[in-house]
Amino acid sequence: MTSVVVVDDHPAVVAGIRAWCQTADPPIEVLDYGPTVAVAWLEPGDRADVVVLDLQLDITGPAYGDLKRLVDAGRQVVVYTMREDRDTALTCLDIGAFTYLTKAEGDEHLVAAIEAAAHNQPYTPPALSGALGTDTRANRPKLTPRQVDVLLEWFHCESKEMVAQKLGLTVSTVNGYLDRVRVKYANVGREAPTKAALVARAIQDGIVSVDEL
C-alpha cells in the first residue's frame, strides 16, 4: 500500500486529504499529518513513500527551504498549495518537487499524483501543464539530437533495456546519454535526478508536449 505524510496547517484540508486517501482505489495509507515539516522527518512520517507539502505554512513566504531539504534527502514531494502563479510552480520543479498541484484541483488529481510519485511515474496536473507551457526562461541546456532521441524513447519505455533494443544501443550507452543530459541540466542549475524530473524539464523546454507522453 502506498503511504503518505501530510504537511498542512489547515485542519479542513488535512481532513479532506485523509478522506480522499482512505476512499482511493486502492487506498493510500496516511502515516501521519501535522502543521510543520517536522512531521515528515519523525517516526512514522519519515517512512512515508510520498510527502504532500503545503507550500505556505506560515506568513514568511513559500517553504522552499523545507522543500529542498526533503528533496535532497531523496523524498518524493507533491506540492499542494493555494498558490497558482507560474513562477512558484516552476521554482518548485527546479528545486526537485515531484509535481505541483493547486488545492483547486481536488481529489482526483491529488490521489493520482501521490500514486505516480510513489511509483516514480510522471504526472502533470492541469495547472502545472499551463505553467510549463508558458515557461520562457533562457537557461536551457543544448542537447544533441541523439541525446534527445534517447530521452524521448525513454519517456515511452518501461526500462532502459527496451530503449537500448529499440535504438540498437547497449544499456550502458543509454545510461551514458541520460547521464550526460542530467549533467547538462545540473550545469544550468536545473537538476533532474529522476525520470519524472527529466520529463518535467523536457516539457518546460519544448522537447516534448504533455499530449505526447
Side-chain angles (χ1 to χ4, degrees):
M1 181 184 293
T2 296
S3 61
V4 66
V5 58
V6 180
V7 184
D8 198 297
D9 57 356
H10 294 86
V13 173
V14 173
I17 294 174
R18 294 178 66 197
W20 296 341
C21 289
Q22 184 177 10
T23 58
D25 184 20
I28 297 169
E29 183 181 10
V30 179
L31 293 183
D32 207 351
Y33 55 90
T36 72
V37 76
V39 74
W41 295 109
L42 302 174
E43 181 75 23
D46 62 338
R47 295 186 283 104
D49 298 317
V50 180
V51 180
V52 173
L53 176 67
D54 180 7
L55 199 62
Q56 197 75 36
L57 295 173
D58 54 41
I59 62 173
T60 61
Y64 293 140
D66 289 328
L67 173 59
K68 187 176 189 308
R69 284 185 285 274
L70 288 166
V71 170
D72 287 348
R75 307 294 294 274
Q76 289 281 61
V77 183
V78 172
V79 173
Y80 191 55
T81 177
M82 294 292 293
R83 298 178 68 100
E84 299 183 2
D85 60 290
R86 183 195 68 180
D87 289 344
T88 299
L90 296 177
T91 296
C92 287
L93 287 189
D94 286 346
I95 291 172
F98 175 80
T99 195
Y100 183 100
L101 289 88
T102 68
K103 290 182 178 178
E105 291 178 286
D107 62 319
E108 177 184 356
H109 290 291
L110 181 59
V111 168
I114 292 171
E115 287 291 357
H119 297 92
N120 201 30
Q121 298 172 344
Y123 186 78
T124 307
L128 180 57
S129 178
L132 293 172
T134 57
D135 183 12
T136 57
R137 295 175 299 175
N139 57 338
R140 299 180 178 184
K142 294 181 179 179
L143 305 184
T144 68
R146 194 54 164 167
Q147 287 170 346
V148 172
D149 288 343
V150 172
L151 195 62
L152 294 179
E153 199 64 55
W154 191 42
F155 293 161
H156 295 97
C157 290
E158 296 180 0
S159 68
K160 294 173 183 175
E161 287 78 9
M162 292 179 62
V163 177
Q165 186 177 21
K166 286 190 174 185
L167 296 180
L169 303 171
T170 66
V171 175
S172 62
T173 300
V174 170
N175 281 325
Y177 277 118
L178 294 175
D179 286 344
R180 285 191 286 277
V181 170
R182 286 197 172 94
V183 168
K184 286 185 176 182
Y185 272 108
N187 286 343
V188 296
R190 300 169 63 204
E191 294 187 4
T194 66
K195 186 175 185 178
L198 274 177
V199 169
R201 299 290 179 258
I203 295 173
Q204 287 174 327
D205 295 347
I207 296 171
V208 66
S209 70
V210 175
D211 293 338
E212 292 173 318
L213 295 174

